[in-house]
Amino acid sequence: MKKWLFALGCTSALVLAGCNSETNEEAADTNNESQTEETQQKEENTNDEQAMKKELMNAQMNMKDTFKEYQAKIAAFQAEVAAEEPDEEAIQSALEEAKAAAEEAAAKASNYSVEADLSEEMKTEYNEAVSSLQAYYEQVASELEENAEEADLSKAEEKFSEFSDQLSSLYEEVGLFAPDMMKELS
């Protein structure tokens, strides 16, 4: 009889342990499912952020490719004027190229549109920044036309700073470091 009671007790303990194990597995399955859903959602958010960063970088590269040649001519003029021993012939040549480049760049900026797959809000902000870039090139062209020998480009540089600040806010929004657009375009 003692053996029967002992066997019944052991069987009961095994049955209870088995049932308790199934309950833990069901709870673990429920937790795993919710964690899987959270993980998938985080991955989707990360993918969206990565895509946005990629598109913003593509837009920057397109802008750089579009305006770099114009900015290089303006920078070359500034370098000629700032040279220790200025060569009048080189200054005049660089001046003509810089004037033409500034006028062409302003025209290009007025027709420039962002070709990246960005949100409408970001496209609007980007286009506003391009408007500041256009104002910069117009100011440079105006200064070079009015007073070529002693052109004061400080007002134009203020417009460029405004352009750079507007772009910086876009980059910071998506978690990127803001580029120095003057270096990028020069």
Side-chain angles (χ1 to χ4, degrees), residues 85-122:
E85 296 178 20
D87 179 13
E88 288 301 317
E89 191 175 299
I91 290 175
Q92 285 301 317
S93 174
L95 171 66
E96 294 303 316
E97 287 182 9
K99 273 192 227 178
E103 290 169 358
E104 289 174 24
K108 195 88 128 169
S110 69
N111 296 323
Y112 188 82
S113 64
V114 180
E115 300 296 326
D117 187 23
L118 300 171
S119 68
E120 287 303 315
E121 179 183 333
M122 290 186 91

Side-chain angles (χ1 to χ4, degrees), residues 6-167:
F6 179 73
L8 183 63
C10 286
T11 306
S12 298
L14 289 175
V15 169
L16 288 175
C19 290
N20 191 20
S21 171
E22 287 178 16
T23 305
N24 286 340
E25 288 176 7
E26 289 174 7
D29 287 343
T30 305
N31 286 340
N32 286 341
E33 287 176 14
S34 65
Q35 287 177 348
T36 303
E37 290 173 11
E38 289 174 11
T39 304
Q40 288 174 347
Q41 193 172 28
K42 286 179 184 177
E43 287 175 1
E44 288 174 10
N45 289 343
T46 302
N47 289 342
D48 289 346
E49 287 177 14
Q50 292 297 328
M52 189 66 68
K53 288 177 183 179
K54 181 179 177 185
E55 288 299 319
L56 197 56
M57 295 303 292
N58 286 339
Q60 176 186 340
M61 292 303 293
N62 289 338
M63 179 176 283
K64 183 183 112 184
D65 292 344
T66 302
F67 294 104
K68 186 172 180 125
E69 66 181 283
Y70 305 115
Q71 188 63 35
K73 292 176 182 177
I74 295 168
F77 168 73
Q78 290 174 319
E80 285 295 330
V81 169
E84 286 183 24
E85 296 178 20
D87 179 13
E88 288 301 317
E89 191 175 299
I91 290 175
Q92 285 301 317
S93 174
L95 171 66
E96 294 303 316
E97 287 182 9
K99 273 192 227 178
E103 290 169 358
E104 289 174 24
K108 195 88 128 169
S110 69
N111 296 323
Y112 188 82
S113 64
V114 180
E115 300 296 326
D117 187 23
L118 300 171
S119 68
E120 287 303 315
E121 179 183 333
M122 290 186 91
K123 280 185 181 181
T124 302
E125 289 180 40
Y126 212 94
N127 287 330
E128 288 173 5
V130 171
S131 296
S132 296
L133 182 64
Q134 178 184 356
Y136 162 76
Y137 284 122
E138 289 170 350
Q139 187 70 38
V140 168
S142 172
E143 288 293 328
L144 292 178
E145 191 66 42
E146 290 174 11
N147 192 2
E149 297 299 319
E150 298 175 19
D152 179 21
L153 299 179
S154 61
K155 290 181 183 175
E157 289 170 358
E158 288 175 13
K159 295 290 184 185
F160 196 90
S161 292
E162 184 180 315
F163 159 72
S164 189
D165 291 343
Q166 288 171 328
L167 277 186

